[in-house]
Amino acid sequence: MSTIATQDMIALIGAGPSGLAGARALQKAGVPFQGFEAWNDVGGLWNIENPRSTVYESAHLISSKTTTEFTEFPMPAGTSDYPGHAELLQYFRAYAAHFGLTKHFRFGTRVLQVEPVSDTPDTLWRVTVQSAGGTPETAEYKGVVIANGTLAEPNMPTFEGHFDGELLHTSAYKSPRQFTGKRVLIVGAGNSGCDIAVDAVHYAKSIDMSVRRGYYFVPKYVFGIPADTVGGKLRLPPWLKQKIDSTILKWFTGDPVRFGFPQPAYKMYESHPVVNSLILYHLGHGDARIRADIARIDGHTVHFKDGTQGEYDMVLAATGYQLHYPFIADQLLNWQGMAPQLYLNIFAPRFSRLAVLGMVEASGLGWQGRYEQAELVARYFKALQDGTAAAQALTQAKAGPPPDLSGSYHYLKLARMAYYVNKDVYRDAVRKAAQALA
Ligand SMILES: Cc1cc2nc3c(=O)[nH]c(=O)nc-3n(C[C@H](O)[C@H](O)[C@H](O)COP(=O)(O)OP(=O)(O)OC[C@H]3O[C@@H](n4cnc5c(N)ncnc54)[C@H](O)[C@@H]3O)c2cc1C
C-alpha cells in the first residue's frame, strides 16, 4: 500500500459538523487530507462529552431538521422536528461511518500551531499537533482547512464591583440542577439565555433576566409546522420580508414589550432572532422577570441601570462566544476588528490553500450551508492542483473587493454579527463559485 506524503495532503482541523463536511467534500473531490480532532469522537459541540462542547442536557436544534441536515444524508425517518443533542451525535456518527470519514481523522490529537513555510501564496504549511500524553509532532502539509468551531470560547463580560455569589458563563452550564434553590440572574436573552431560563424555572428559587436591548421572538411552530419551513422559497426584498414576518410574529408571539422586554431599536433580521416562545409563556406566568442592564454589583446585590436592584446567588452570563483561532497568527487569517475578513467567509485572501469552514452566522444556514462551503474549498483545491482557468478566476476574485453578503440588511454592530450574512445571498454566492469550478 502506498502512503501519501503529508506535503501532498490538506490538514483538516476539527471533526464537528463543519469538519465532517470538509472531510466528505475533500473525499468526493479526490483531494488527500489528514483530519485532526482534539476530542476522541466526532460531533463537535453536539457531543456533550467533548470538553469544548457548549450544549447542555436540554439542548435541541433551534432550526428544524429538514433545513439543517446534510442533503445527501437525511436524518432517519421518525426523527423529531427539532432533535436533541444525543440524537444529533448519533446522526454525525452515522454520517462519518456511512461515508468512511472516521479513518481520515486522528482523534485525541490537538492542533497546536499552524504556520506558513514561506510568504508565497502557494506555500506549504507547517502544522504541529499533540496527541494525549505525547510530545508535539510537526509536519508540512499542502494546505490547511480550519473547522474548529465558533461557539466554544466564552465572551465573558466584566461588571463594575464584585459579586459574592456564583458567576458562570453558559459554556459552563450543563444541567438545570445547577440552579436548584438559587436566585438566578441570567444576563442576555439570546437563544442560549432564553433556552436556559426556560430550563431554570423548574429548579431555581427565582429567575430574572437582565437585557440591554429588545429581541424578536420566533416560535418553533406556526400553523403546526416548523416555522423555518414556512414560506422558505419565497424571496422578498428586506423591507417587505421584515414587514410580513414581524406581522406574523405579532400574531403568534404577541408584543414582547408586554412581557417586559424593551422595544427593539432595530428591525427584524438585523440581529439573530430568538427562536423561543416558551420564554414569553413563562414571563406571562410570572416564573421569570425581565430586568434592565447591569450598572454594578455589590456582594449579592445587583444594581440595574433603571435604578432598581435585586439579590442573587448566581449570575449566569449568556453573553455569547468569541471567534478563537489560538493556533494561527491573526494576520494570516486577515483579522480586522472583530473577525477575520475572509473571502466568502472562507478563504484567507493572501494564501492559496488556507480556508476556514463554519465561520459564518446566518439565520437558517444549517449543516448543508456549511457543506456547500466545504464543497467550494474542495473543488478549488482540486482545480488548483489541475491548474484550471476556473481556479485562476477564483484566485483573482479572492484578491479583489469582497462581495456584499448582507442582502441589504443593516446588521447590528455586535461581535457576533461581524461575520453574519444573509443566508440566501450567501448560499447563492457559494454555490455559484462552486459551480464555476465543477
Ligand atoms: C445550544 C446550541 C444550539 C445550536 N443550534 C443550532 C441549530 O439549531 N442549527 C444550526 O445550524 N446550528 C446550531 N448551533 C450552532 C453549531 O455551532 C453548529 O450546529 C455546529 O456545531 C457547528 O459545527 P462546527 O464543526 O463548525 O463546530 P463545532 O461543532 O464546535 O466543532 C469543532 C470541533 O473542532 C475541534 N477542535 C477545536 N480546536 C481544535 C484543535 N486545536 N485541534 C483539533 N481539534 C479541535 C473540537 O473539539 C470540535 O470537535 C447551535 C449551537 C449551540 C451551542
Side-chain angles (χ1 to χ4, degrees), residues 13-20 36-39 41-46 50 52 54-56 59-64 68 109-112 147-152 192 195 321 326-327 357-358 365-367 370:
I13 307 171
S18 303
L20 291 176
F36 299 101
E37 166 54 55
W39 182 235
D41 196 358
V42 299
L45 62 72
W46 294 105
N50 182 339
R52 285 298 270 180
T54 45
V55 297
Y56 28 88
H60 289 74
L61 275 187
I62 57 170
S63 51
S64 69
T68 314
T109 304
R110 176 176 299 281
V111 173
L112 300 180
N148 67 328
T150 57
L151 301 179
S192 293
D195 240 18
Y321 295 90
F327 42 76
L357 300 179
L365 196 65
W367 301 316
R370 291 160 175 110

